[in-house]
Amino acid sequence: MAPSKKKHASNQACVIPGGFTVLSLQFSSVSVAQHKLYVKEHKVRAERSSHRPMDRTLFVLNIPPYCSEDVVKRMFSEFGSVQSVELRDHPGSSHESGPKISKVFRPAAKQGFKVGYVVFENASSIKAAKSHPHNVPLVVSTKEHPVRTGTQKWIQQYSDSFVHTDKLQQTVDSFMEGYDKRKKEEEERQKEEAEQQQEDEEGWVKVTRGSKGTKARPHSEAANKKTLQKEIRKKKRKELMNFYTWQHRNTQKEHIAELRKKFEEDKQRIALLRAQRKFKPY
């Protein structure tokens, strides 16, 4: 009798539309329920980042809240040495604008399912993860590395919420040193741009080459503001004031009416001062 094909097929990887491979996840060895992860090789041409090399990065979807970066790193170490793990709320670029903030001052992380980027040390680990049988689950909590849940997890979170004063002071000092350094670099950069954008008597701006041989264009905020003011003055000079005869006549009438109004106001003020006997012409 020929062996059953169903048993042979169950030992193969499960690939769904979109190129994702299904991996089963089990909280512990005695758990009955299973969770599904969806993995795919990370290939984004627009993202040229050394943190996520295209040939060694695995994109993971549907990571449950009880899986931290350490847990994900330990689970995927089954396929090879893991260099780094990054968990995010939504897929996106690894480039983050602004300085790196310590976890002490970060807002509380959202409790929900995550997406992850697992970077292996070898490219062969990607192939091993994609060919893993879907009926062999990855175990989250083991005897060697237990994952706390329930009351134990709350107690641990409460204990971790307290920060030692010396460590907090060191974190603040480190951040302020970086802030002062960035502030100084920004002032020096603005000063250099201002020197490069100095206009001569005829209104020409000297453009020099940058460090990499490319032309440095004066497109800073100060240069844009200066150019805008120059255009406004130029536009005002081009405006034709009182081009027609009737415009000139109306302007003269308005000027005469304004002078008469001012003359009447002065007469009233002088009469008021005389009435108060405070007018002293000599």
Side-chain angles (χ1 to χ4, degrees), residues 197-214:
Q197 295 161 12
Q198 288 290 339
E199 294 185 358
D200 56 12
E201 296 179 355
E202 298 180 356
W204 291 93
V205 179
K206 182 180 178 182
V207 180
T208 58
R209 291 185 176 273
S211 58
K212 295 184 180 179
T214 57

Side-chain angles (χ1 to χ4, degrees), residues 239-252:
E239 290 180 355
L240 298 177
M241 300 299 294
N242 300 332
F243 181 76
Y244 297 100
T245 305
W246 63 270
Q247 290 180 333
H248 184 67
R249 188 163 52 246
N250 290 341
T251 304
Q252 287 182 342

Side-chain angles (χ1 to χ4, degrees), residues 40-92:
K40 183 180 181 181
E41 187 175 356
H42 178 63
K43 291 183 178 180
V44 180
R45 294 183 179 180
E47 183 180 350
R48 301 292 182 181
S49 174
S50 59
H51 302 288
R52 300 176 185 172
M54 294 178 59
D55 57 337
R56 296 186 289 111
T57 305
L58 190 68
F59 179 54
V60 187
L61 288 176
N62 206 29
I63 300 177
Y66 50 80
C67 288
S68 61
E69 292 184 355
D70 295 335
V71 173
V72 174
K73 183 176 183 179
R74 178 176 53 80
M75 288 192 304
F76 281 89
S77 297
E78 179 180 341
F79 309 115
S81 299
V82 178
Q83 179 178 338
S84 63
V85 174
E86 181 185 0
L87 299 183
R88 300 174 64 95
D89 296 330
H90 305 284

